[in-house]
Amino acid sequence: MYNEKTWLGKLKVFGLFAAVPLFVFFTVVILPFLAGLFMTLTNWTGTGSYEFTGLSNYVVALRDSVFWDSMWLTLKYVLFTLLLTNVLGFGLALLVTSGLRSQNFFRAGFFTPNLIGGIILGFVWQFIFTRVLVYLGTEFNLGIFSSSWLADPGTAFWSLVVVGVWQNAGYMMLIYIAGLTGISASLTEAANLDGASYWKQLTRIRIPLMVPAFTISLFLTLQRSFMVYDTNLSLTRGGPYRSTEMIAMHVYNEAFVYQNYGPGQAKAFVLFLIVALIAILQVRAMKKVEVEA
Amino acid sequence: MKMRKWASLSLATIMLTAVLSACGGGGKANEEGQTGDSTSNKPVDITVLVGKEEIAKPFEEMVREYNELQDQAKVTIIPLAGANGYERMSTLYASNNAPTVISIGQELPLMQDKLLDLSDQEWVQHASAGTLDYATFDDKVLGMPMAVEAFGFIYNKAVLDEVSGGSFDPDSVRTVDDLKALFEKIEASGMAPITVSPLDWSLGAHFANIMFTNQSADRDERHQFLEEIKNGAVDLENNAVFNGWMDTFDLMKAYNSAKNAPLAAQYDEAPLYLADGQAAMWFMGNWAYPQIKEADPDGEYGFLPVPISNNPDDYGNSQISASVSLYWAIDKEQSTPEQQAAAKDFLNWMIGSEKGQDYYVNQFSAIPAFTNFQIQPEDSLSQSVLYYMDNERTLEWMNLYFPPDGFPTMGASLQKYLTDNLDRAGVAKEFEDYWKTKE
């Protein structure tokens, strides 16, 4: 890749392109990560002195049933948003590449939710769930909307899923559009001449060729749903009675709101391990199904 | 080609140096602020961390005015910027940028080593009775009370006058049965008796407070109760105060304006309901007055105690919870003596000068926690609080002694009770289980 032969030349290129990003990455990602890891072994309270406490923070963190409830809830949330976002995103991508007349307008429209910040989006949807839907529900006697979805643990969870899917599906649609348009026309033409049906073309040609797009989309939705915080905060604030506290919010609350820095940071590290493991497994599995045309 | 490469390389180097020197520059400016410059007459820079979002705007104006009035100190506000108080404090301390003046509440015990002893200040003599208890550690006063905050049943006087046929006397409700009779009368006239805002802090910090304070009129005894519940030595299910308190909660639940969907009730709607007379009462505190005033500027409002038994003389049945929940404190670890002196001056000006008092009472809608204030609040709700204070009919805010996760946990139990997902025994058990972990 590099043409530089001398040591100095290599150093120059490194200094030019990599030194600044590496420095920034080191100071804002690696250092805090290590400091955080160190913190889990102490009883530091955010200010002042501390003592080493071994692994006791991890014991506290792992024994906390609320932590596991929150983790379980988050896994459930990830599962549903992952499926729904990608099904919807892919469906929309097929729709807006099928040659509709106003497809550019629709592309922009479906993508827009992604441009709105999560906090604003949460408040908009909070208004919809607590006012608009309740108003419609009482006016037209629709049982499921007669009271706010955010007031009941079960429906509050689904509200979060709805908003999460609505926010991310447009973005995934964009990735799938790129994947779909990247398929060489010669392949679909050949399939057409051979008399392959639309369904056959989709499952045998398009989807297999789009596996890289699926890998990216699944990875992104996985990561985004696991780390969801902003919509969680503005939509439910973890309520009612802490039943919709996703894992990111749980970790934040544990450390800063309940002032348990050590266990909070330990939970964050456990979360990191789980997410890293899932992400690696997912990318590895997807690599196996990738094909070349 | 070669030329161009060198140009971009040097550009990158310049940028890198700029980044590094910017960091260094920041550090230097900071150091200057730390050591202060006593030789010249430059004003001392002090910073204030304000945790109360409700008063952020008028507070800013007050600080601007203070900066114009004198040239000894220049006050800068550090906003919370969305973080919670403790998070902000710990980051500021960790980055060696500790604020000179800090508004501090429940974090006080954690931060006590870092705060300046203010016992020699004049205002200590004038602080209202009991308001310094929480901020006193080893006989040192570490915080200046910010304002008195009170909560109880806020009532709309016009509505209750109409219901009771004549001028409503808040002292006429002293027992659970009285309260029930009042609720029935209100309901009979076609209004919702009460709004219960299902927020974890309102239920878990404020309503729960009553269960703890009413255990005993004696401060030591009720704090003993707090210790005992941590040791698991309290049997709530057979505790008279707990049961009376739950009886009242049952009434609030049954006559709640949002009883069909108790957790869907929105905080912002409640002051409007109260002002419109859609709901005659609201369990809330005087901090909500600005919103009530906006909806009904001329209305008269007052506080009713939360009765928890049928003996009118029982402790708590004629008292409302009124206390100081936030204090002003001064950092002694990272601030210079000059800064500390300037901070003391600022605090004294705030509560001692006519301007400061005017801001305090009229702009922050605060009830002063000092007996020597020249300016007194005039609105009806504050008058009601002052009435209880003057008659020494106030309850402590014991929730200041709750651990940080106390109110969300107890609030959650009460929310479950509101929606029938938990019964009385369940609430008792969840409370006991929670407190046992805090030994």
Side-chain angles (χ1 to χ4, degrees), chain A residues 4 8 12-13 15-16 19-20 23 44-49 126 130-131 147-148 150-153 239-242 252 255-261, chain B residues 5-6 8-9 12 16 19-20 82-84 86-87 89-90 93-94 106-107 110-111 114 261 263-264 266 269 404-405 408-409 412 415-416 419 421:
Chain A
E4 282 73 15
L8 189 71
K12 256 191 302 191
V13 172
L16 195 54
V20 174
F23 174 75
W44 194 56
T45 54
T47 55
S49 56
Q126 190 194 44
T130 54
R131 306 283 169 95
S147 77
S148 167
L150 301 181
D152 174 77
Y241 39 86
R242 293 185 73 182
Y252 174 87
F256 294 113
V257 181
Y258 309 147
Q259 296 163 14
N260 299 321
Y261 274 58
Chain B
K5 218 188 246 169
W6 270 111
S8 46
L9 183 62
L16 185 65
V19 168
L20 291 173
N84 74 55
Y86 188 64
E87 180 189 359
M89 270 177 239
S90 47
Y93 265 97
Q106 198 214 20
E107 305 90 353
L110 273 173
M111 304 282 290
K114 300 179 167 49
L263 298 187
Q266 298 285 307
E269 284 171 349
D405 54 355
T409 314
Q415 285 172 341
K416 287 182 203 160
T419 47
N421 286 321

Side-chain angles (χ1 to χ4, degrees), chain B residues 126-149:
Chain B
H126 302 297
S128 305
T131 53
L132 294 178
D133 290 353
Y134 179 71
T136 308
F137 295 87
D138 304 329
D139 293 326
K140 286 185 209 150
V141 179
L142 301 181
M144 182 179 97
M146 196 183 264
V148 172
E149 296 193 294

Side-chain angles (χ1 to χ4, degrees), chain B residues 86-114:
Chain B
Y86 188 64
E87 180 189 359
R88 199 87 172 98
M89 270 177 239
S90 47
T91 45
L92 287 169
Y93 265 97
S95 63
N96 230 358
N97 273 319
T100 328
V101 179
I102 315 167
S103 70
I104 190 168
Q106 198 214 20
E107 305 90 353
L108 244 169
L110 273 173
M111 304 282 290
Q112 49 172 304
D113 302 340
K114 300 179 167 49

Side-chain angles (χ1 to χ4, degrees), chain A residues 14-262:
Chain A
F14 176 79
L16 195 54
F17 294 108
V20 174
L22 205 66
F23 174 75
V24 172
F25 184 73
F26 183 72
T27 48
V28 306
V29 179
I30 304 290
L31 271 186
F33 182 82
L34 294 177
L37 198 58
F38 176 74
M39 230 174 91
T40 59
L41 305 174
T42 69
N43 62 355
W44 194 56
T45 54
T47 55
S49 56
Y50 55 83
E51 285 160 23
F52 280 99
T53 53
L55 293 174
S56 70
N57 284 330
Y58 288 94
V59 175
V60 173
L62 297 176
R63 273 202 190 145
D64 183 3
S65 65
V66 186
F67 173 66
W68 292 112
D69 288 348
S70 178
M71 187 64 94
W72 177 236
L73 182 85
T74 312
L75 285 173
K76 229 169 71 180
Y77 174 81
V78 169
L79 178 74
F80 286 113
T81 42
L82 192 77
L83 284 175
L84 294 173
T85 308
N86 286 291
V87 169
L88 193 68
F90 187 64
L92 290 175
L94 285 177
L95 201 73
V96 297
T97 50
S98 62
L100 285 176
R101 240 195 307 163
S102 42
Q103 61 183 17
N104 280 334
F105 173 75
F106 283 113
R107 281 183 196 188
F110 292 133
F111 183 67
T112 311
N114 217 283
L115 301 174
I116 310 171
I119 290 282
I120 309 283
L121 204 108
F123 281 126
V124 170
W125 277 93
Q126 190 194 44
F127 178 77
I128 294 175
F129 280 122
T130 54
R131 306 283 169 95
V132 180
L133 291 184
V134 174
Y135 175 79
L136 293 177
T138 42
E139 206 74 352
F140 299 105
N141 239 335
L142 303 167
I144 57 163
F145 293 134
S146 63
S147 77
S148 167
W149 271 34
L150 301 181
D152 174 77
T155 48
F157 170 77
W158 287 106
S159 321
L160 284 169
V161 172
V162 167
V163 176
V165 170
W166 186 74
Q167 182 186 20
N168 287 322
Y171 192 74
M172 300 312 144
M173 171 194 79
L174 222 61
I175 296 174
Y176 288 128
I177 291 174
L180 282 171
T181 47
I183 296 170
S184 150
S186 61
L187 290 170
T188 41
E189 250 168 56
N192 263 333
L193 289 176
D194 288 342
S197 67
Y198 179 79
W199 186 248
K200 271 260 148 59
Q201 286 186 28
L202 188 65
T203 52
R204 293 293 167 85
I205 297 171
R206 287 188 178 178
I207 292 183
L209 282 174
M210 276 180 58
V211 170
F214 279 102
T215 313
I216 296 171
S217 295
L218 287 179
F219 179 77
L220 278 178
T221 19
L222 190 75
Q223 180 256 345
R224 283 185 177 196
S225 331
F226 241 113
M227 295 300 169
V228 66
Y229 181 79
D230 43 7
T231 43
N232 193 188
L233 181 75
S234 56
L235 198 63
T236 68
R237 258 187 181 274
Y241 39 86
R242 293 185 73 182
S243 60
T244 59
E245 209 175 72
M246 296 287 176
I247 197 70
M249 179 180 268
H250 178 81
V251 166
Y252 174 87
N253 285 355
E254 183 73 31
F256 294 113
V257 181
Y258 309 147
Q259 296 163 14
N260 299 321
Y261 274 58

